[in-house]
């Protein structure tokens, strides 16, 4: 396995491979029982719809997708600038320990800067200690000012 990792924006032909990692994340985060995304949904929502429901950065190694970072824009914020909401960051187990997550996050930061965004937001599961340490190592700060709520409809 080569050490060369390419970070790029996902394209429609990546849909199936992106979906595989989305499914792996659903298993990792224990929501596979309610996971309803299909490769066709990824293709339609992320690549055929205009504007797309989400954007995706991928880390690629020798034609294999090693990691994904799924995000979308929040066009209106109190700072009168857009923000980015990172929905998913996942690195395939076979590729961990190679700073792929950091490369994806740095690519997202560059995307935010190109789009005049004021910040990048995301959530992390309270049990995901490794994720929390990773984000803190990057310089991210936990926001304890707000509580998350859900209203099922």
């Amino acid at each position: 396995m080569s050490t060369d990792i390419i970070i790029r924006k996902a394209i429609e032909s990546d849909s199936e491979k992106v979906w595989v990692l989305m499914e792996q994340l659903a298993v990792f985060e224990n929501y596979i029982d309610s996971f309803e995304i299909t490769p066709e949904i990824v293709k339609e929502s992320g690549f055929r719809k205009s504007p797309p429901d989400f954007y995706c950065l991928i880390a690629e190694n020798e034609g294999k997708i090693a990691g994904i970072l799924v995000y979308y824009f929040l066009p209106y914020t109190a700072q009168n600038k857009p923000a980015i909401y990172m929905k998913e960051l996942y690195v395939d187990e076979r590729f961990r320990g190679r700073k792929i997550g950091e490369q994806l996050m740095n690519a997202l930061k560059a995307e935010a800067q190109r789009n005049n965004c004021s910040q990048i937001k995301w959530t992390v599961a309270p049990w995901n200690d490794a994720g929390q340490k990773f984000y803190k190592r990057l310089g991210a700060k936990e926001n304890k000012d707000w509580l998350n709520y859900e209203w099922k409809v």
Side-chain angles (χ1 to χ4, degrees):
M1 186 179 328
S2 166
T3 59
D4 293 334
I5 299 293
I6 297 167
I7 305 295
R8 63 175 176 83
K9 288 190 177 184
I11 57 175
E12 186 174 330
S13 61
D14 295 320
S15 297
E16 181 91 26
K17 293 176 185 176
V18 166
W19 174 81
V20 167
L21 289 187
M22 287 178 168
E23 184 182 44
Q24 288 177 11
L25 177 62
V27 170
F28 175 77
E29 291 189 338
N30 300 313
Y31 62 85
I32 192 64
D33 292 343
S34 64
F35 183 71
E36 296 183 11
I37 306 300
T38 65
E40 190 59 32
I41 289 171
V42 172
K43 190 178 291 184
E44 289 296 324
S45 298
F47 302 102
R48 293 185 177 167
K49 191 173 181 183
S50 182
D53 290 335
F54 68 88
Y55 300 88
C56 182
L57 297 171
I58 64 169
E60 185 176 53
N61 177 255
E62 297 180 343
K64 294 181 177 72
I65 295 184
I68 60 170
L69 191 154
V70 176
Y71 64 99
Y72 53 87
F73 289 92
L74 302 171
Y76 179 78
T77 66
Q79 294 75 35
N80 195 32
K81 289 185 173 186
I84 286 181
Y85 188 85
M86 180 178 65
K87 181 64 180 120
E88 299 173 344
L89 171 62
Y90 187 76
V91 175
D92 186 304
E93 287 181 15
R94 299 171 293 172
F95 292 92
R96 292 187 186 155
R98 297 171 58 185
K99 299 199 179 282
I100 292 171
E102 187 172 337
Q103 290 177 59
L104 285 164
M105 289 295 290
N106 286 332
L108 183 64
K109 185 176 184 178
E111 178 78 353
Q113 291 168 338
R114 273 192 301 280
N115 286 280
N116 196 33
C117 294
S118 60
Q119 59 188 328
I120 300 169
K121 299 178 173 210
W122 66 90
T123 59
V124 61
W127 53 262
N128 188 350
D129 294 330
Q132 292 175 47
K133 287 177 188 170
F134 167 73
Y135 296 128
K136 287 177 185 172
R137 186 172 56 77
L138 292 180
K141 304 280 188 242
E142 181 181 0
N143 181 344
K144 294 183 179 184
D145 294 339
W146 300 93
L147 299 174
N148 288 308
Y149 281 79
E150 290 182 351
W151 193 7
K152 304 271 186 208
V153 293

